[in-house]
Amino acid sequence: MEPSGDDGPAPFVGLAQLFRRDIPGLACGPDGADLVQLFRCPFTHGPHLERGYHLRWRRAARTEQVERLLAAPPRVPLLRWEHELPEPCVLHPEEVDTYPWAEDDTLPPALIARIDAWDDAQVAEHGSDAPSYQYDLSIPPGWRVGGYPSWASTGPMTIDCASCATPMELLLTAEGHEMDGGSHSWAPLEDRDPLLRGKASIRGGVPVARPTRLRFGRDHDLHVFVCPADPRHAPRWVLA
């Protein structure tokens, strides 16, 4: 629950629930927890209108054996915008290979130079529909577990644990769009027009491109980082 002023506490809004049995790469929580839940406060806070998030680890076996469950979820307070309330979705995890964001010191300088040269060559040959390392090969758009963070808005950042200074690992990325014009190669085949090529081939409209209906700032991703040295240490939230 999160304070909401004179009206008393307001329930967090559930954003994601992930089981390690469904996602083998999902990090292990404290005391062997294998179920992780992500929540967001329905209200903004402070002069910068920041969001409050909460990560809750559980053991799936204990959760599924409880004798009493809520007959109905807590009522969410009246929200100002439609994109503040998630559209219920069922996940169908798919494992893909990802590679680091190529900027600053995320990769060796010589390798970044080779990637830039390859990108330039693709543009020269294919024009506006040319594939690029950053958007078509390294990191897919949309919600994803593990892998590498995308730094399109902020540039690469170092994320260390506030408790022990250990470099943190990416647990989860939440994004408003599952596909966009800059990363059309990741669009599922069933959401493409077989008669068209490149960005123009994506079809399905808003329900396909934004199935959760959520937004995280202006064209930002929400990255959730956890400490690999001790999962009991507090997570960190980064909008990038």
Side-chain angles (χ1 to χ4, degrees), residues 68-210:
R68 294 182 59 191
L69 295 172
L70 291 176
R75 295 188 62 182
V76 177
L78 182 63
L79 301 175
R80 185 175 181 181
W81 305 106
E82 182 184 67
H83 62 74
E84 295 177 327
L85 184 66
E87 182 75 19
C89 298
V90 177
L91 297 178
H92 300 281
E94 180 179 357
E95 190 171 1
V96 298
D97 292 327
T98 61
Y99 302 93
W101 188 263
E103 186 179 355
D104 295 345
D105 59 353
T106 58
L107 289 171
L111 181 54
I112 291 180
R114 290 177 57 191
I115 291 173
D116 290 341
W118 182 85
D119 283 344
D120 292 341
Q122 297 303 307
V123 172
E125 181 176 354
H126 302 286
S128 60
D129 283 328
S132 70
Y133 171 84
Q134 215 79 292
Y135 293 102
D136 293 287
L137 300 177
S138 64
I139 302 173
W143 290 61
R144 50 197 182 272
V145 172
Y148 300 95
S150 57
W151 301 111
S153 300
T154 63
M157 303 169 62
T158 299
I159 310 298
D160 294 332
C161 178
S163 299
C164 66
T166 299
M168 304 188 84
E169 295 181 351
L170 182 63
L171 171 70
L172 170 69
T173 295
E175 188 176 347
H177 291 81
E178 288 297 309
M179 63 187 77
D180 55 49
S183 50
H184 56 280
S185 67
W186 296 99
L189 294 178
E190 59 268 25
D191 296 324
R192 297 186 189 183
D193 187 329
L195 300 179
L196 299 175
R197 298 183 60 187
K199 301 172 186 177
S201 69
I202 298 177
R203 63 182 180 182
V206 173
V208 169
R210 294 184 55 224

Side-chain angles (χ1 to χ4, degrees), residues 8-92:
F12 279 102
V13 176
L15 300 187
Q17 176 171 276
L18 304 173
F19 293 85
R20 187 142 39 90
R21 67 185 180 216
D22 299 325
I23 306 174
L26 185 66
C28 184
D31 301 320
D34 55 353
L35 164 62
V36 63
Q37 298 168 322
L38 176 64
F39 300 90
R40 180 168 75 176
C41 177
F43 301 105
T44 56
H45 301 269
H48 302 293
L49 303 180
E50 296 179 354
R51 292 283 186 180
Y53 293 93
H54 177 69
L55 198 68
R56 175 64 62 89
W57 290 96
R58 302 180 187 274
R59 288 193 176 188
R62 292 185 60 184
T63 302
E64 294 166 344
Q65 292 173 1
V66 295
E67 297 180 355
R68 294 182 59 191
L69 295 172
L70 291 176
R75 295 188 62 182
V76 177
L78 182 63
L79 301 175
R80 185 175 181 181
W81 305 106
E82 182 184 67
H83 62 74
E84 295 177 327
L85 184 66
E87 182 75 19
C89 298
V90 177
L91 297 178
H92 300 281

Side-chain angles (χ1 to χ4, degrees), residues 209-226:
R210 294 184 55 224
T212 65
R213 194 168 56 187
L214 292 171
R215 290 181 183 173
F216 299 91
R218 179 177 295 179
D219 297 326
H220 283 84
D221 300 348
L222 172 69
H223 296 315
V224 182
F225 289 89
V226 292

